[in-house]
Structures are given as C-alpha cells and as structure tokens.
Amino acid sequence: MGPALGPGAVGDAITGEIIRNGLAAAAEEASVVVVRSSHSTFIQEGADACAAVLDARGQLVAQSTATSLMHGASLRCSLPSLLEDIAIDSMQPGDVFALNDPYRGGIHANDILIFRPVFVPGSPARVAFFAGTLIHVADLGGSAIAGLAAVATDTFAEGLLLPPVHLVRAVAGQ
C-alpha cells in the first residue's frame, strides 16, 4: 500500500493538472499561430515547426503535438546554449532571441529557433519560463537553391549560422 495522501494532496493534484493542461494548450495555440501565419510551404503543408514552453533551466514543460515532435529536442538543447551566452538576469520583458547553429543544439541551418522569456511579475521581475518555437525556413544562402545542400561538405555550405542573438531588445520603461 502506498503512502497516505495528506489533506491538500488531492487539491494539489487537481491544481497541477489544470496548470499542466493550460501550458499544453498554450504550446498548442502557439503552434497553430506559427503554421497559420507562415508563408512557407514547409510549415503550411508539412507542419515543419514546433512550439513549446520551457522552464528557466531549459527543461521542456509543454510541447505542441500538432507540429513536428522531434523539434522539441532542438528547443530543449538550444536554450542552454542561449543561456551560456546571454545571462538570464540580463533579460528584460519584451526581449526575443534567435539562433540556428547546429553545433549549439539545432538540427541544421534551415531551422531557426526563437525564444522569448516569460517573467514572473515583481521587483525585480525574474524569468520563470521561455516560450520557444522552431521554424524551418526555405533558404539561408549556402551552396544550393532552397537550402537543401545535399552535396555540402561542411555546415557552412547550408547557409548563414546564427549564434544566440537578440532579435528584439526590450524598450526601457515599458
């Protein structure tokens, strides 16, 4: 027989399930927005994208199941690389980051990862989660049209490689 549940255990389990389902729904909705707003055949027809919620340590919390599941691993592996370059304490509400370096967690240059920190209100605000998405773009340069460099002899032939960079910086006072 298992351990006896305390008086708040049932309420805690229900609250946990509500939060878990809410985070899963948020990731699913984000993936729908990514697919519907894209102008890419890869994303529109093949759902070659992913959306997820990750905690401040880079652990996967919730992931979309309507898009490519394998990309969740890239999101999980790339966020720690971002945090190596950009201190979490330096992030501000409104910041957005991008990277696509396959040596830093991505799959290949055509998969661009976008992360936005989600803050807990307070003074000072602290990062609790990251909203992340991965999208496959058709062409980032490289040695072949449409970014499918089948005869590439190195990663640089696939196109532009982005280290973790600020895509959008927060505006002071907002």
Side-chain angles (χ1 to χ4, degrees):
M1 192 137 226
L5 296 175
V10 172
D12 291 346
I14 292 170
T15 301
E17 278 299 301
I18 291 169
I19 292 169
R20 186 183 70 76
N21 282 297
L23 290 168
E28 208 66 54
E29 287 294 321
S31 75
V32 169
V33 169
V34 167
V35 170
R36 286 190 178 170
S37 64
S38 76
H39 295 283
S40 165
T41 304
F42 289 113
I43 297 171
Q44 285 281 331
E45 300 298 326
D48 197 356
C50 180
V53 177
L54 301 101
D55 70 15
R57 296 178 326 240
Q59 299 297 305
L60 193 60
V61 174
Q63 175 180 345
S64 164
T65 58
T67 51
S68 179
L69 293 174
M70 72 177 177
H71 291 314
S74 289
L75 287 166
R76 186 183 56 75
C77 293
S78 295
L79 183 54
S81 182
L82 169 75
L83 295 173
E84 286 175 12
D85 283 14
I86 302 169
I88 198 167
D89 294 335
S90 72
M91 296 178 183
Q92 300 293 318
D95 282 348
V96 179
F97 305 94
L99 70 145
N100 74 335
D101 190 337
Y103 294 106
R104 308 217 38 205
I107 296 173
H108 63 142
N110 296 86
D111 289 339
I112 298 179
L113 299 114
I114 306 294
F115 293 102
R116 183 171 186 163
V118 178
F119 289 81
V120 172
S123 183
R126 66 177 178 81
V127 176
F129 297 99
F130 284 88
T133 188
L134 180 149
I135 58 169
H136 182 100
V137 297
D139 199 344
L140 285 169
S143 63
I145 296 171
L148 300 174
V151 296
T153 56
D154 62 34
T155 305
F156 299 102
E158 291 184 1
L160 177 68
L161 297 181
L162 296 172
V165 295
H166 265 101
L167 189 61
V168 175
R169 287 193 186 262
V171 177
Q174 288 189 347

